[in-house]
Amino acid sequence: MSRRTAIVTGSTSGIGHEIARRLHADGLNVVVTGRDMRRGEQVREELGEGSVFIPLDLTAPGAPAELAAAAIDHFGRLDVVVNNAAMDHTGDLLGVPVDDVRRVFEVNTIAAIAVLQEVAKRMEHGGAIINISSRLASIGVPTMAIYSAAKGSIKAVTTAAAVELAPRNIRVNAVAPGMTRTPLYETWVKEQVDPEQTERDVVAGIPLGRIADPTDVAAVVSFLASEEASYLTGVSIPVDGGYTAR
């Protein structure tokens, strides 16, 4: 049997990069994709044999179909897809321009749904789709309403798609990270008036007493992508150190 193949969107940095590493280490071919050519080629070189970089803006017309087709062209099959690509957004809810709302949903929700549609059509023998949601799909945080709404949509479509795609033997699950030590997080902390106190405050709100590492998220994705999770579909797993369990 040939090696399984995974697509990881938004895999040129942060959580996506770590997920690509983990799935490649698990023995899968990995299709790396993102908009940054330099970082994408770096990730491909790091992974080596059994990887390819496809530079795409997934909001562009036809890009999700192009990505799915490229995976088949390069590796002959498609088994796992991780919908990770997203943009961050903060802003006072009453002042967010509607154009900004549309852009967040275009990147975080519509592109992810388009990817799901295109890859599911090509999973001839079943497979696993893993959507990266957020703790913010389940809680309210000031200034994060638009991002939360987009990620909440991902959580909802995960549940519905799991039921609709089950006859195709396609499992659809979500992973909802909490605060995770990514370059985006590090930049945010440094921008605070008192970065050290900010981090202490963040950690104080997490029952397990630490900020997640991208490897924590990648480990759960690895499980959901594996045959050990063959009877698991339609769930959203929080990887947040107990934050949403409080």
Side-chain angles (χ1 to χ4, degrees):
M1 184 177 180
S2 59
R3 288 173 58 167
R4 294 188 301 152
T5 296
I7 292 172
V8 184
T9 71
S11 45
T12 58
S13 66
I15 290 173
H17 183 188
E18 195 58 51
I19 291 170
R21 281 177 177 154
R22 177 59 187 260
L23 294 180
H24 191 263
D26 288 344
L28 280 72
N29 298 314
V30 173
V31 178
V32 175
T33 187
R35 292 177 294 179
D36 191 308
M37 288 285 296
R38 181 184 60 82
R39 292 192 310 200
E41 287 297 338
Q42 287 176 343
V43 175
R44 184 197 62 77
E45 290 177 9
E46 173 195 335
L47 297 182
E49 185 179 355
S51 69
V52 65
F53 171 57
I54 307 295
L56 284 173
D57 177 351
L58 292 173
T59 66
E66 182 181 343
L67 176 63
I72 302 293
D73 288 345
H74 280 276
F75 297 117
R77 57 185 295 168
L78 181 55
D79 307 272
V80 175
V81 175
V82 184
N83 252 326
N84 170 75
M87 65 176 289
D88 196 18
H89 181 273
T90 59
D92 177 64
L93 174 59
L94 303 186
V96 178
V98 172
D99 285 348
D100 288 1
V101 177
R102 289 195 180 98
R103 178 60 180 166
V104 172
F105 271 80
E106 186 73 30
V107 174
N108 292 6
T109 305
I110 296 172
I113 292 172
V115 169
L116 183 151
Q117 291 173 319
E118 294 298 337
V119 300
K121 294 172 186 176
R122 293 167 173 80
M123 288 179 162
E124 296 181 357
H125 306 291
I129 298 173
I130 301 149
N131 297 320
I132 305 301
S133 179
S134 169
R135 63 174 185 148
L136 295 170
S138 302
I139 62 170
V141 173
T143 76
M144 299 298 295
I146 305 307
Y147 182 85
S148 297
K151 287 299 188 178
S153 299
I154 290 298
K155 182 179 179 181
V157 78
T158 295
T159 306
V163 174
E164 189 162 345
L165 298 181
R168 293 173 174 258
N169 194 31
I170 297 174
R171 299 183 295 105
V172 187
N173 294 293
V175 174
M179 282 291 198
T180 306
R181 201 174 293 282
T182 63
L184 190 65
Y185 169 82
E186 299 290 358
T187 297
W188 172 75
V189 169
K190 289 176 182 177
E191 290 173 347
Q192 304 308 302
V193 175
D194 186 341
E196 292 184 0
Q197 184 59 49
T198 296
E199 179 143 331
R200 285 193 291 269
D201 291 343
V202 169
V203 170
I206 301 172
L208 285 182
R210 70 174 177 88
I211 296 164
D213 187 85
T215 58
D216 296 314
V217 181
V220 178
V221 171
S222 172
F223 167 67
L224 290 174
S226 74
E227 288 302 312
E228 293 180 327
S230 62
Y231 200 60
L232 193 62
T233 195
V235 303
S236 177
I237 300 178
V239 184
D240 61 9
Y243 185 92
T244 52
R246 296 178 306 168

